[in-house]
Amino acid sequence: MSNTERLPVTAITPADPGYAALTTRGNNKRFTANPEAFHVATSTADVVAAVTEALRSGKRIAVRSGGHGYEDFSGAPGTQLVVDLGEMTAVAFDAERNAFMVEAGARLDDVYRTLYEGWGVAVPAGNSATVGLGGHVQGGGYGSLNRRHGLIVDHLHALEVVVTDAATGEARAVVATRDADDPHHDLWWAHTGGGGGSFGIVTRYWFRSPDATGTDPEQLLPRPSAEMLTSTVLFPRATLDKPAFRTLVGAYGRWHERNSAPDSPCVHLFASLVLLGRQRPRPEEGQDMGAVLVTHVEADRPDAAQLLQDFLDEVTGDAALSPVVLPTETVPWLVSKKALSDAQDAEIGRQKVKSANLLGAFTDDQADALYDFLDDADAVHDSSLVALDSFGGRTSAVAPDATAAAQRDAVLKVLFMSTWQDAALDEAALAWMRRCYGAVFAKTGGVPAPVPGGNADGCFINFADVDTADPEQNTSGVPWHALYFKDNYRRLQAVKGVYDPAEVFRHPLSVRPA
C-alpha cells in the first residue's frame, strides 16, 4: 500500500473533483498549494488522525485555516499533506469552561456576528471579515478595538492543540490554559503571539477576559459600543504633493505619539490612514486618491463628537492638505465592522506584504521615501498601499513578556501591500516593494529594526515576510526572529523543544528548537 493510500479516507487527492478548488483557496494568488492530499477536518479527531498518519509515513505536513497567509507556508514545495480547517467554524458558549468556544476555521465576520448578536460581546480581533481565527490568534491579532480592549490574545483563556509525540509516533490533543499552574501553560503562552505553524495544530479556542467574574456570558468579554461615529476623509492625489503628504503623515503619527497611553480618553478612537499608490488602469481625473483617512469613535461617549473633531482638526486641518471631508455617520457597531472589512478585503490577487511597528511618527525622510514610491507612475503592480493603523492604548498596559506578542509599546501598526494579477509581473512587483520598504528603513538596514532613539520596533508576524530572513534584504544585523518576537524568542524555542523537537511543524519563519 502506498503512502498516499494510507492517508485517512477523508483525504482529498488530485483524483477527487474537489481537489482543484482547495488548491486555490489561499488569499495570495502567488501561491498554489498542490499537496498529495488535503485533509479537510471537521473535528479534532480528524486532525489527530491526519497528523498521526503523517508521522507514521514521514510526510511533510502543513495547516491552513482561513487561507490569508501572505507567504507560502501551507503550500511550500515539499509539503505533502495540508490539513484544512475551513470546515471547523463553530462559535458557541461553553458553560463547562465558562468561556466562548470558537473553532479555528471560523472567519472573523462570523465570530463577530455570532458573539454580538447572541450575547452583545466581542473579541478585539482584526478588521478583515474573511480571516480565519486559526492563525490570526496565534500571531497576536489586532483590530479596531485594540486601543480600548487590547489584543485578542489578551482575552484567550484556553486552546486545544494537536501536538506530536516523537517517542510514540502518535499525535494527541492537549488543552492549554491561561492558568499559571496548568502543566501546559507555556504552550498557551506560545500561542499568544508566537505565530502559526510552529508548535502544532490549534483546533479550538476559548475566550474569557482575565478580569471577568461570574457565569453570565454577557459579562465575560468586552461589550463594544452599540453605535460608532464614523468619518471618512479623502485626499485627492492632485493636491497631495510631497510637502502636503509629509504634513499629513507627520501630523497623524504625532497625534498617536501623544494619545496612545492606556488611560488616555483617546483610546476610544481608532483610525486608519491608508496611503495609496498610483493604480493601473489609471483612474479618471478627480477619482484618483492619494490617501484615505477612516476614523471610528465609540458613539456612547458623551464627548465622542468633540473627540473626533479634535482629531480631524489636528491631522487634516493644515490648509495645504485640501481634504474632502465626507459627512460623519452614526452606524451600528456591526455595520462599522463591515465597512472596515469591505475596504480591507477589496485587495485580491498576487500580493506581497511587509509590516512595521512604529513607536512614533515617520520621519520626514521616511515620508518622502513613501511619497516617491507611491507616486511612481511606472510601477508595474495594479495597486499599492501603506496603511497606518491606530495601536497602543490598552494594548500597551500588558507586559511584553506576559504574552508572546512582545511589541506592546508601538502606537501604530503599518502594513505595506502591493497587488497585481499577472504572474509575469512577479519579479518586477516584488522588486518594487523591496526597494520601497528598504528606502523607508534605509537608516536601520532596510527593515524596521529597533535602535536607540529610533521610531521602529520590528515587524508583525501575521504579516509574514520571508525577506526579513534574507541577509541581502535585511542588513541590520538584527535576526528575523528578533524583529518578530524580540526577547520572547528564547522562551518560544524552549516550548518548541518540548512539544515539537523534531520540527514536524515548520516553515521559513517558524520557531526553531534551541
Side-chain angles (χ1 to χ4, degrees):
M1 182 180 294
S2 71
N3 285 339
T4 300
E5 292 172 334
R6 288 201 301 270
L7 289 169
V9 293
T10 52
I12 297 176
T13 69
D16 297 310
Y19 182 88
L22 287 168
T23 65
T24 59
R25 195 170 71 77
N27 203 58
N28 188 348
K29 302 309 179 184
R30 281 175 56 212
F31 307 120
T32 300
N34 292 289
E36 291 180 8
F38 289 95
H39 189 295
V40 180
T42 60
S43 68
T44 299
D46 283 350
V47 178
V48 171
V51 176
T52 294
E53 186 57 41
L55 290 170
R56 291 174 178 173
S57 61
K59 289 189 177 294
R60 175 78 178 270
I61 193 169
V63 61
R64 182 173 70 185
S65 54
H68 268 256
Y70 288 114
E71 293 289 3
D72 196 13
F73 292 167
S74 61
T79 300
Q80 296 159 294
L81 174 64
V82 173
V83 179
D84 191 296
L85 304 176
E87 298 301 314
M88 297 184 65
T89 59
V91 181
F93 181 70
D94 184 340
E96 183 177 348
R97 291 195 180 274
N98 196 33
F100 291 92
M101 186 282 300
V102 184
E103 289 184 324
R107 289 2 181 232
L108 289 182
D109 181 60
D110 294 327
V111 174
Y112 287 137
R113 187 170 301 279
T114 303
L115 292 179
Y116 190 71
E117 292 182 346
W119 298 275
V121 300
V123 286
N127 297 329
S128 171
T130 57
V131 163
L133 216 68
H136 181 71
V137 175
Q138 295 174 56
Y142 79 98
S144 61
L145 292 176
N146 82 85
R147 284 167 60 83
R148 180 75 188 280
H149 299 292
L151 304 180
I152 189 171
V153 295
D154 298 337
H155 303 267
L156 179 63
H157 172 69
L159 68 160
E160 181 178 63
V161 195
V162 175
V163 296
T164 63
D165 188 328
T168 65
E170 303 285 329
R172 61 191 175 104
V174 301
V175 174
T177 74
R178 185 169 55 208
D179 298 336
D181 58 355
D182 181 347
H184 298 297
H185 175 74
D186 279 353
L187 185 62
W188 168 88
W189 179 88
H191 286 86
T192 61
S198 281
F199 308 99
I201 297 179
V202 176
T203 55
R204 292 187 287 176
Y205 296 102
W206 287 268
F207 296 98
R208 185 177 74 228
S209 297
D211 57 351
T213 58
T215 59
D216 181 357
E218 296 184 1
Q219 304 301 320
L220 299 180
L221 282 175
R223 297 182 64 82
S225 174
E227 294 183 318
M228 301 296 290
L229 190 63
T230 67
S231 166
T232 301
V233 181
L234 308 176
F235 301 88
R237 189 177 308 279
T239 58
L240 196 64
D241 58 12
K242 184 178 287 189
F245 185 93
R246 180 192 289 184
T247 296
L248 173 64
V249 171
Y252 183 79
R254 287 188 294 273
W255 185 93
H256 283 85
E257 288 178 14
R258 299 194 313 276
N259 296 287
S260 298
D263 58 352
S264 169
C266 297
V267 301
H268 300 269
L269 181 151
F270 171 85
S272 181
L273 176 62
V274 183
L275 310 171
L276 299 168
R278 292 187 179 274
Q279 299 181 351
R280 294 188 314 138
R282 306 302 180 204
E284 296 179 10
E285 186 68 27
Q287 297 180 341
D288 190 7
M289 293 299 148
V292 178
L293 173 62
V294 176
T295 312
H296 288 203
V297 181
E298 296 172 42
D300 58 3
R301 286 188 57 85
D303 61 345
Q306 190 62 53
L307 179 59
L308 174 60
Q309 192 58 54
D310 290 346
F311 170 74
L312 294 178
D313 287 346
E314 180 170 341
V315 174
T316 71
D318 191 288
L321 292 177
S322 302
V324 178
V325 182
L326 301 184
T328 300
E329 295 183 294
T330 300
V331 300
W333 180 73
L334 278 177
V335 174
S336 75
K337 291 300 294 183
K338 186 178 187 305
L340 288 171
S341 68
D342 285 348
Q344 183 158 326
D345 294 339
E347 300 290 336
I348 298 175
R350 306 176 73 82
Q351 295 179 321
K352 179 61 179 177
V353 307
K354 293 177 179 288
S355 68
N357 299 293
L358 290 189
L359 302 172
F362 275 129
T363 66
D364 287 348
D365 287 347
Q366 289 175 316
D368 289 350
L370 280 174
Y371 179 88
D372 289 341
F373 277 89
L374 293 174
D375 195 52
D376 181 4
D378 296 323
V380 298
H381 50 247
D382 297 322
S383 64
S384 60
L385 62 86
V386 177
L388 287 75
D389 287 348
S390 297
F391 204 63
R394 184 64 190 170
T395 299
S396 61
V398 178
D401 60 354
T403 66
Q407 291 93 349
R408 294 286 181 163
D409 292 333
V411 299
L412 290 168
K413 286 275 193 183
V414 185
L415 167 68
F416 296 70
M417 174 185 283
S418 62
T419 304
W420 61 99
Q421 308 302 324
D422 186 351
L425 300 178
D426 282 3
E427 184 176 345
L430 289 170
W432 180 93
M433 175 59 83
R434 288 165 177 157
R435 291 196 308 273
C436 173
Y437 192 70
V440 173
F441 299 108
K443 293 182 179 179
T444 54
V447 296
V451 297
N455 64 353
D457 195 19
C459 307
F460 180 41
I461 191 61
N462 278 359
F463 299 153
D465 172 22
V466 295
D467 291 346
T468 57
D470 181 350
E472 292 188 6
Q473 304 297 326
N474 174 8
T475 62
S476 68
V478 178
W480 67 266
H481 54 77
L483 292 174
Y484 289 109
F485 308 121
K486 300 184 69 174
D487 294 339
N488 286 339
Y489 188 64
R490 189 179 298 275
R491 184 177 175 187
L492 289 170
Q493 287 185 293
V495 178
K496 178 76 168 179
V498 171
Y499 291 95
D500 187 29
E503 291 196 274
V504 172
F505 303 102
R506 64 190 187 275
H507 55 71
L509 298 181
S510 61
V511 174
R512 316 296 202 251

